[in-house]
């Protein structure tokens, strides 16, 4: 495996990459694919598969909502030219908008415009408040949000709400497990960038070395 060195045991990076296929296939099949059968691998898999299957983390819920909002905007802009060039306005949180972007967003918000994109955006922002709730209030908050979303008459949002309903308990389980796949996705992006920059590597050892070199954030500056 390119994520571990011989004799080094299992790294966090290796564990992260095992979790990805583990959510979609049996543990035994994964072990066969990677050619590992020792007890250490089974221990890692049993723990992480349990956590991954029971928790629907914040990263993927936000991705789901952003996809729905983007779909609404693309459909609506065909008839509403004021929505052109507003893609990133609808995907960013208000605190991350520049002054100019905030001003542009405000011009779209009056109720007289009745934009479905703005409605979808507000529903997304409302859902994000879920993660700020104490565990005891999480499900009541989610129930209120779920009542609103399917009645929004915005098809992509209604479909998104149905998906969230299917993963209802997994979303609520986050308040106990606090699993966040954002770190794993960041590691994945970094490794893909390392691979693309060199157009591939001649050996796995070279690839491993570059991963450690980039992720280690080493300082090569000479002492003065």
């Amino acid at each position: 495996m390119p994520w571990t060195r011989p004799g080094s045991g299992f790294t966090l990076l290796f564990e992260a990459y095992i979790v990805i296929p583990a959510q979609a296939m049996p543990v035994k099949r994964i072990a066969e694919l990677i050619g590992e059968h020792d007890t250490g691998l089974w221990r890692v898999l049993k723990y992480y598969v349990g956590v991954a299957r029971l928790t629907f983390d914040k990263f993927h819920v936000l991705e789901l909502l952003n996809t729905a909002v983007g779909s609404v905007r693309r459909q609506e802009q065909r008839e509403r030219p004021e929505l052109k060039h507003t893609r990133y306005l609808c995907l960013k949180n208000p605190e991350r908008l520049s002054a100019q972007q905030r001003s542009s967003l405000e011009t779209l918000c009056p109720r007289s415009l009745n934009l479905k994109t703005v409605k979808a955006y507000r529903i997304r922002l409302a859902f994000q408040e879920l993660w700020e709730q104490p565990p005891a209030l999480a499900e009541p908050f989610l129930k209120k949000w779920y009542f609103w979303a399917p009645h929004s008459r915005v098809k992509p949002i209604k479909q998104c709400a149905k998906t969230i309903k299917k993963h209802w308990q997994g979303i609520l389980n986050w308040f106990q497990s606090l699993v966040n796949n954002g770190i794993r996705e960041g590691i994945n992006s970094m490794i893909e960038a390392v691979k693309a920059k060199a157009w591939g590597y001649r050996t796995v050892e070279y690839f491993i070395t570059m991963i450690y070199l980039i992720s280690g954030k080493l300082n090569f500056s000479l002492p003065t």
Side-chain angles (χ1 to χ4, degrees):
M1 289 295 294
W3 321 120
T4 57
R5 286 192 177 281
S8 66
F10 298 105
T11 65
L12 291 176
L13 193 57
F14 172 76
E15 292 172 0
Y17 270 82
I18 287 298
V19 170
I20 296 173
Q23 295 181 67
M25 65 177 71
V27 171
K28 183 178 180 181
R29 177 58 179 155
I30 298 168
E32 292 172 352
L33 287 174
I34 66 175
E36 289 284 355
H37 300 282
D38 63 298
T39 56
L41 174 62
W42 287 103
R43 175 179 54 78
V44 170
L45 285 174
K46 285 181 179 179
Y47 174 78
Y48 281 99
V49 170
V51 173
R53 283 182 174 162
L54 291 174
T55 302
F56 200 67
D57 77 294
K58 296 167 61 175
F59 179 89
H60 287 101
V61 177
L62 181 58
E63 187 176 44
L64 190 68
L65 288 163
N66 279 340
T67 299
V69 173
S71 178
V72 174
R73 190 197 67 83
R74 284 193 301 273
Q75 294 172 18
E76 192 172 30
Q77 74 169 357
R78 297 168 186 166
E79 301 176 357
R80 304 297 295 267
E82 61 265 45
L83 288 172
K84 290 184 177 180
H85 310 297
T86 60
R87 176 185 177 187
Y88 295 106
L89 295 183
C90 301
L91 298 181
K92 285 185 175 181
N93 291 331
E95 64 272 13
R96 300 190 64 182
L97 294 171
S98 65
Q100 183 178 354
Q101 289 174 326
R102 195 174 296 111
S103 177
S104 298
L105 183 60
E106 288 173 356
T107 62
L108 303 175
C109 289
R111 291 186 178 275
S112 58
L113 294 179
N114 195 30
L115 291 172
K116 292 181 180 179
T117 301
V118 173
K119 182 183 291 186
Y121 178 66
R122 286 172 172 158
I123 291 173
R124 179 183 79 90
L125 293 181
F127 185 91
Q128 288 180 240
E129 295 179 18
L130 170 68
W131 312 119
E132 301 172 8
Q133 306 302 313
L137 298 180
E139 186 164 19
F141 182 93
L142 189 55
K143 286 180 178 178
K144 289 181 181 178
W145 180 90
Y146 184 75
F147 179 81
W148 179 24
H151 291 84
S152 65
R153 298 182 182 179
V154 181
K155 188 174 180 180
I157 291 295
K158 291 171 66 176
Q159 293 173 337
C160 179
K162 288 181 180 179
T163 302
I164 287 174
K165 182 65 174 178
K166 290 179 182 177
H167 296 277
W168 189 274
Q169 192 55 50
I171 291 172
L172 294 176
N173 285 348
W174 177 86
F175 289 89
Q176 278 71 47
S177 67
L178 301 178
V179 169
N180 186 349
N181 286 339
I183 296 175
R184 190 184 69 195
E185 298 294 340
I187 292 173
N188 180 46
S189 298
M190 179 198 69
I191 291 175
E192 289 299 325
V194 169
K195 184 167 64 175
K197 187 175 182 180
W199 294 86
Y201 291 87
R202 182 175 299 178
T203 67
V204 171
E205 286 71 22
Y206 290 159
F207 189 26
I208 293 172
T209 300
M210 285 304 300
I211 291 173
Y212 282 128
L213 181 63
I214 299 300
S215 61
K217 299 181 181 180
L218 302 177
N219 183 4
F220 293 103
S221 59
L222 295 175
T224 57

